[in-house]
Amino acid sequence: MTYNVVVSNAGPDTPTVTLTDVLPSGVTLVDFSSNQGTCSAKVGTVTCSLGAVFNTKPASVNIFVSLPLSFSGQTITNQASISSSLGDPNTSNNSFIRWHGFNVANTM
């Protein structure tokens, strides 16, 4: 499964942005990538230093995870949040939660 997290900037300033995604308990991190900046992972958390995020070009982070068969029929929650080098007049849009329902098939 892939989490695609898009970070956009409503402007007018250009902040330096850090994305933090704490993965749901039980999922296994497989890989991650970003269209800008650098990412690292530590104990179920992916952190990306995205650098400057311009209001005309969003940053995108892909986080690839695998799910155990025991997750079939369950809902899991993933939450990503951002912080920036500048004050933000609207901090209510700096976090995103997504709920997923799954039916996991055994492919072996």
Side-chain angles (χ1 to χ4, degrees), residues 11 14 22 25 34 47 73 83 92:
T14 305
V22 178
S25 179
S34 174
T47 303
S83 60
S92 67

Side-chain angles (χ1 to χ4, degrees), residues 9 12-17 83-89 91 94:
N9 174 13
D13 297 321
T14 305
T16 300
V17 175
S83 60
S84 77
S85 60
L86 300 175
D88 188 344
T91 59
N94 290 354

Side-chain angles (χ1 to χ4, degrees), residues 24-62:
S25 179
V27 303
T28 301
L29 177 64
V30 176
D31 201 5
F32 49 85
S33 65
S34 174
N35 69 340
Q36 69 181 61
T38 58
C39 296
S40 62
K42 215 182 240 190
V43 191
T45 300
V46 176
T47 303
C48 298
S49 298
L50 298 173
V53 176
F54 298 93
N55 62 359
T56 57
K57 184 181 180 224
S60 179
V61 176
N62 290 307

